[in-house]
Structures are given as C-alpha cells and as structure tokens.
Amino acid sequence: MRHWWLDYCGGCGSSIASNPHVAPDNLINQAYADHDTGRGLRGFAFSRIGGTEHGSLDASNFALGPWSERRNTLAFTGDTYSTWETLAYEVRFTAGEAAAGLTNVTHDLGGFHGGHLADDMYARWMQFGTFQPVDRMHSDHGDRLPWDYPGAAQAGAQKFLRLREALVPYTYTMARQASQNGLPIVRPMYLEFPSQEAAYSANGEYLYGDNLLVAPIVTPSGSVSVWVPPGSWTDYFTGTTYTGPATVTMSAPLSRMPVLVRAGGLVPTRTDYVHSQKDSVAGKFTVAVAAGADGAFSLYADDGSSSAASTTTPLSWADGTRTFTVGA
C-alpha cells in the first residue's frame, strides 16, 4: 500500500498555518496529496482523526478538528482500547463520520491498547473490519494475527480476511462511487431511509455500499438486534429472507455475522484473486444476487494507482424471468 502517514503531528512542532482557520496538518496533507498527484497517482494521506485541532492558532474553532480533514485524509481513530464497548462505539462512529463528510475512517482492529483478546472479541472485531473502508490490524504489541488465536477464532478470522479480499470488486466500485459523488462506502441507515423513524436509532448497523446491510456483533452474547428496512432482505451467509420494516434478533457463531443483501442487490466477488501486485488482475468473478426485485450494478475497475485506464461493466438482474445479464 502506498500512502503517507501523518501520525498525530499536532502542528509538527513550531509549524503553523498563516490562516488561523486552517490547521497545519491539513496543509501538510495537501502537500502530500499534491506530490502524488503530480506523479500521476491518487493523492491522499493517512492521519490520526482530529489531529488537526492540536497546536492550531484557534483551537476553539471546530473546523480545525476532523471536519476540515475531508479533502485528502484517510483518518484513523488512534490508540483505542480493547473492549467490547470500544468495538460497539466504532461501529457507530464510522457511519456517523461518513454522514458528516469523512468517508474513509479506519480503526486499529482489536484495539491499540490491551494484550491478547478473548477469542470471541477477536473474531467479532475481524468481522467488523471486513466491512469497513479500510481493513487494518494494529496494536502496541502485534498480537492481532489469526494464528495468534488458534481454533474457532482463527478459522473465523481467516474466513473473513479471505472474504474481504474476495469482495474487492464490490468495495472498489463503491470506493470509486464515493470519490466521484461523495456518497460514502459505509452509510448510516437514516441516509438511505430518511422517512423511517427507526432508521435514526438503528446505529448498531449500517449499509456497506449500495446493496449490503451489516450489523456487527459487539457483545459476547453472540447476537444483535437488527432493524430490517422496508422490503425484502436476504442473509448473505444463510439465505434466510427477512421482510421489513421489522426488528429482529440475529445470532451467529464465530464463523458468521449478520449481513443482509437487499432484494435485487448484486454483490460481485473475485474468485481467483492473487497475492502479488504484478498479477492482481482478476479474471473470474462470482456474483451473488438476492431475488425479489430487479437490480443493476456497474462494476468498476482500473489500473490500481490512477484512473487513466478504467472499465465499467454493467451487470443486471431481471427478477421476473430470473435472468442475469453481463454487459460489455
């Protein structure tokens, strides 16, 4: 991965911005972005969220905090703690920040502070990361890899890391959409269903792109209350169909989590992904389709570092005739 990492610069010592309403970190991130853009690459920087408000000339100006980092910053939430409460908070946080304009928020999966996790907590954190803008494990001790948690937790973590890789065509298309029109990859429920009062309190779940509803399990109970929006929604892992609006308690072992596909939703995955950058072009795809409505998806791909060479492939589903069509 190619990026600049500005870790809690806090004004970088004596650095200040001449405009009191602009934080020094933002100017530095802009310089990083311009540097890469000048090389024909996508310019962005990786920064601790809210770091721009430290060391500024006007610390009381809220615009100097995370709200002014939207332009070039992929933000991470810093040195968090390894607790169920933190995991639950991060589920709410990503969607909330996305609605405010920060569309690429990432977390230290498993928490930065804290040693070896309980198996169920580790597995649930890894599931959560699969359906985030950035899937990133990080800590002050390094105990966050699947083989550190042998047994069911390891099997579950490996399954979801592989799923994350398989979902790249879907996620990449949603990332492109976010960069073009600002509609975030992770979306709070009220953004999609503003007329539904229940959507405003359903903050333990979110939409991942156009077609997936994700409700991470954030307690050792192994279950979560899920508000199912209007229409038909099908469980990605079990095939169970739910009709909303309704509130349902969903349970799942460490090998699964609640992920629902909207009726007519298309979810492309790559089935021959490779691990080297040189051979990263996928040639085989599987598309999961949830029946119950017509649907369409415009699959996007490019060279991985710029948008100079790109393609879009229309996929469509006609529910009445059960016909799936792949366009040119």
Side-chain angles (χ1 to χ4, degrees):
M1 183 177 181
R2 174 199 52 79
H3 65 265
W4 295 95
W5 186 332
L6 188 63
D7 188 0
Y8 203 54
C9 183
C12 296
S14 59
S15 298
I16 61 172
S18 57
N19 186 327
H21 303 293
V22 178
D25 290 17
N26 287 358
L27 295 182
I28 296 168
N29 284 339
Q30 182 67 53
Y32 286 159
D34 291 344
H35 174 269
D36 282 347
T37 300
R39 298 165 59 210
L41 303 172
R42 300 180 185 126
F44 72 98
F46 187 51
S47 297
R48 182 185 302 254
I49 196 168
T52 55
E53 65 189 354
H54 296 280
S56 64
L57 294 178
D58 183 9
S60 65
N61 187 339
F62 206 45
L64 295 179
W67 317 121
S68 61
E69 297 172 343
R70 298 177 237 193
R71 185 170 184 178
N72 302 307
T73 303
L74 189 159
F76 71 102
T77 47
D79 299 346
T80 52
Y81 294 91
S82 303
T83 66
W84 288 107
E85 291 76 16
T86 299
L87 173 57
Y89 182 83
E90 290 182 353
V91 170
R92 303 191 300 270
F93 190 88
T94 312
E97 294 298 286
L102 272 170
T103 60
N104 293 302
V105 173
T106 173
H107 309 279
D108 290 356
L109 296 178
F112 181 81
H113 297 295
H116 190 83
L117 304 177
D119 283 358
D120 56 350
M121 184 189 294
Y122 175 73
R124 299 307 185 189
W125 225 307
M126 296 298 291
Q127 292 173 357
F128 165 64
T130 298
F131 298 95
Q132 288 286 286
V134 178
D135 190 12
R136 185 180 59 83
M137 294 157 282
H138 184 58
S139 69
D140 59 358
H141 50 78
D143 182 9
R144 290 293 179 264
L145 297 172
W147 46 84
D148 296 321
Y149 297 83
Q154 176 178 345
Q158 289 173 330
K159 174 182 178 178
F160 277 89
L161 283 170
R162 292 185 178 116
L163 175 60
R164 170 69 178 199
E165 189 71 15
L167 280 167
V168 162
Y170 178 84
T171 302
Y172 204 71
T173 298
M174 293 299 102
R176 171 66 175 180
Q177 179 174 275
S179 73
Q180 294 297 294
N181 62 22
L183 187 63
I185 303 173
V186 170
R187 309 165 191 173
M189 301 306 294
Y190 56 78
L191 195 63
E192 183 81 4
F193 303 97
S195 64
Q196 296 287 317
E197 184 176 350
Y200 294 87
S201 57
N203 54 18
E205 61 193 76
Y206 53 82
L207 292 175
Y208 186 71
D210 293 337
N211 297 326
L212 295 177
L213 187 159
V214 178
I217 293 174
V218 295
T219 67
S221 69
S223 63
V224 63
S225 178
V226 181
W227 176 68
V228 180
S232 176
W233 297 78
T234 299
D235 190 300
Y236 183 79
F237 297 103
T238 69
T240 302
T241 298
Y242 302 88
T243 301
T247 299
V248 181
T249 297
M250 298 184 185
S251 301
L254 299 186
S255 60
R256 296 202 315 267
M257 68 180 293
V259 177
L260 306 180
V261 187
R262 72 164 77 234
L266 281 70
V267 184
T269 56
R270 55 183 183 179
T271 49
D272 66 340
Y273 63 82
V274 292
H275 301 287
S276 66
Q277 181 71 21
K278 185 181 72 166
D279 302 316
S280 62
V281 177
K284 297 179 181 179
F285 294 87
T286 297
V287 180
V289 181
D294 293 344
F297 189 90
S298 183
L299 181 66
Y300 175 82
D302 60 29
D303 62 8
S305 59
S306 70
S307 302
S310 65
T311 63
T312 55
T313 305
L315 311 175
S316 63
W317 168 254
D319 198 63
T321 58
R322 294 295 195 270
T323 303
F324 175 67
T325 303
V326 180

